[in-house]
């Protein structure tokens, strides 16, 4: 076809030029390519690329799924850490990194079968044997074992191993304290671990107060006072010192309440009733004196129940236990 304006032929529609010596068959083939094959390639090439991309994505997904299964099987067959460390010929830190990436790959799946956490604990033990100072593995692994696997004993074992190798890692002591408080309800052990964390560099400011509350919960206010005094000696910030002094006075109240209630219980054993005034406990030589309330208030005894309260701090210094915690949507949480 000839253009009316320029007198030039359309390159897409005009027959392909061939040499004068070409045979009729070659001329026909060249014209067929020009009019049929070239437009098909222009449309079909992107389509082929798209189909190839879809096939590649599918193969990649299948490979990754199969790779996770293969990685899981490899981790199940891991030898002991000391054996593997000797076999790595000095490259045990690199081996620990590679194994940790494999553990993350498997535990990062949406669903992890409960039996798989057993080999996960073994893999974490191997990694931390290869690199005993891999603090993040202890930290993250202890959390996964306690909260996702529900294996608090495995978590504590891993965290204790980490704390022994890294005595300045406050988070490991903190997690041990949390496990003993929340999962095991061992408040004295929880307080001891929190006290360790409270004395380590880098810990948050609330840790000493939390440890003091745990000691009070475990009926050991004297240990709480010792801890607060120790932390206060190393404190420089006036705000921190004031907060520690306030917590110390609250622990004093808790100690006084415990002493008075014990005296009231002995009074009840003697007379079958509670006294109507604290002075009766002094008169019966069950108390040396009535303690002075640190915030300037008074201690009041309930003659019906034998409980004692501070007029300035009516709520006792204690923690909410896990079985007392209610969901946010419960009726108790609604206004």
């Amino acid at each position: 076809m000839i253009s009316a304006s320029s007198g030039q032929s359309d390159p897409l529609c005009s027959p392909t030029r061939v040499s004068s010596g070409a045979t009729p068959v070659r001329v026909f083939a060249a014209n067929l390519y020009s009019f049929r094959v070239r437009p098909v390639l222009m449309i079909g090439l992107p389509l082929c690329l798209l189909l190839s991309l879809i096939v590649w994505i599918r193969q990649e997904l299948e490979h990754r799924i199969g790779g996770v299964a293969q990685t899981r099987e490899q981790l199940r067959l891991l030898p002991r850490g000391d054996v593997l460390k000797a076999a790595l010929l000095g490259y045990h830190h690199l081996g620990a990194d590679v194994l940790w990436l494999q553990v993350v790959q498997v535990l990062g799946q949406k669903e992890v079968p409960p039996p798989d956490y057993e080999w996960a604990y073994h893999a974490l033990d191997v990694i931390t044997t290869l690199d005993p100072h891999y603090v993040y593995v202890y930290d993250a692994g202890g959390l996964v074992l306690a909260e996702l696997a529900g294996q608090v004993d495995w978590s504590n074992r891993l965290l204790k191993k980490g704390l022994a190798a890294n005595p300045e890692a406050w988070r490991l002591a903190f997690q041990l304290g949390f496990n003993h408080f929340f999962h095991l309800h061992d408040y004295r052990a929880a307080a001891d671990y929190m006290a360790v964390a409270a004395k380590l560099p880098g810990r948050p400011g609330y840790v000493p107060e939390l440890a003091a509350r745990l000691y009070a919960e475990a009926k050991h206010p004297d240990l709480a006072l010792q801890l607060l005094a120790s932390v206060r000696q190393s404190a420089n910030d006036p705000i921190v010192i004031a907060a520690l002094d306030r917590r110390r006075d609250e622990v004093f109240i808790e100690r006084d309440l415990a002493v008075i209630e014990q005296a009231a219980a002995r009074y009840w054993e003697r007379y079958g009733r509670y006294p109507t005034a604290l002075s009766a406990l002094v008169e019966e030589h069950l108390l040396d004196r009535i303690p002075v309330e640190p915030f300037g208030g008074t201690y009041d005894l309930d003659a019906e129940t034998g409980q004692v309260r501070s007029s300035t701090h009516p709520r006792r210094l204690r923690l909410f236990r896990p079985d007392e915690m209610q969901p946010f949507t419960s009726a108790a949480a609604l206004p």
Side-chain angles (χ1 to χ4, degrees):
M1 183 175 64
I2 305 299
S3 172
S5 60
S6 63
Q8 297 179 354
S9 61
D10 188 340
L12 292 178
C13 299
S14 62
T16 303
R17 296 181 181 180
V18 295
S19 62
S20 59
T23 63
V25 174
R26 289 185 178 181
V27 172
F28 174 77
N31 287 332
L32 180 63
Y33 174 82
S34 176
F35 284 102
R36 296 289 185 269
V37 177
R38 189 163 52 185
V40 170
L41 286 177
M42 293 176 64
I43 298 173
L45 185 59
L47 182 61
C48 290
L49 291 175
L50 179 61
L51 291 175
S52 299
L53 181 61
I54 293 174
V55 171
W56 178 82
I57 291 175
R58 181 174 180 179
Q59 290 178 345
E60 183 67 15
L61 289 174
E62 291 177 353
H63 172 72
R64 291 194 176 191
I65 294 173
V68 170
Q70 183 179 4
T71 300
R72 182 183 289 113
E73 189 63 27
Q74 291 173 351
L75 291 175
R76 284 196 184 103
L77 300 177
L78 271 178
R80 294 196 324 267
D82 54 346
V83 175
L84 185 58
K85 189 171 186 177
L88 288 175
L89 301 176
Y91 292 95
H92 46 277
H93 294 288
L94 179 60
D97 289 334
V98 172
L99 287 177
W100 173 241
L101 290 176
Q102 290 182 319
V103 170
V104 170
Q105 180 186 13
V106 176
L107 294 182
Q109 300 300 302
K110 289 184 178 180
E111 294 184 5
V112 179
D116 282 353
Y117 284 113
E118 184 171 358
W119 65 254
Y121 168 70
H122 172 63
L124 292 169
D125 182 61
V126 171
I127 293 170
T128 52
T129 299
L130 295 178
D131 187 355
H133 304 296
Y134 209 154
V135 176
Y136 184 77
V137 174
Y138 296 112
D139 193 354
L143 186 64
V144 167
L145 292 173
E147 304 304 327
L148 299 183
Q151 297 291 341
V152 182
D153 290 341
W154 293 351
S155 174
N156 287 344
R157 208 175 305 163
L158 182 67
L159 292 169
K160 288 177 181 178
K161 177 183 178 183
L163 190 60
N166 306 274
E168 302 237 330
W170 73 266
R171 279 190 56 84
L172 303 183
F174 184 88
Q175 279 206 52
L176 280 165
F178 179 82
N179 283 351
H180 281 81
F181 164 69
F182 194 83
H183 295 290
L184 303 178
H185 313 302
D186 186 343
Y187 304 118
R188 171 59 191 272
D192 288 341
Y193 282 116
M194 288 296 179
V196 171
K199 298 177 181 179
L200 294 177
R203 51 86 181 152
Y206 62 81
V207 176
E209 296 191 19
L210 181 57
R213 280 182 175 268
L214 283 166
Y215 275 127
E217 185 77 15
K219 307 301 182 186
H220 291 283
D222 290 334
L223 294 177
L225 292 172
Q226 293 176 17
L227 169 65
L228 292 173
S230 174
V231 174
R232 191 185 188 283
Q233 287 180 355
S234 59
N236 297 317
D237 190 330
I239 297 178
V240 173
I241 293 175
L244 292 172
D245 288 343
R246 183 183 67 254
R247 182 64 67 202
R248 177 203 60 200
D249 290 341
E250 290 174 351
V251 174
F252 272 132
I253 290 178
E254 188 63 32
R255 185 186 64 177
D256 292 344
L257 295 178
V259 170
I260 296 172
E261 287 180 346
Q262 291 173 4
R266 292 197 298 271
Y267 188 97
W268 186 88
E269 292 174 357
R270 184 178 298 178
Y271 297 104
R273 59 181 178 83
Y274 293 109
T276 57
L278 294 180
S279 57
L281 298 177
V282 178
E283 294 170 359
E284 294 291 329
H285 304 289
L286 298 174
L287 273 182
D288 293 335
R289 59 180 178 82
I290 299 176
V292 177
E293 210 268 5
F295 292 92
T298 59
Y299 292 122
D300 303 315
L301 173 66
D302 187 335
E304 296 293 330
T305 63
Q307 293 182 345
V308 185
R309 291 192 177 187
S310 162
S311 61
T312 62
H313 290 69
R315 298 185 63 178
R316 301 291 290 264
L317 183 64
R318 59 188 296 271
L319 295 169
F320 285 106
R321 296 181 176 87
D323 55 358
E324 296 175 338
M325 297 180 181
Q326 300 180 7
F328 180 76
T329 55
S330 67
L334 298 176

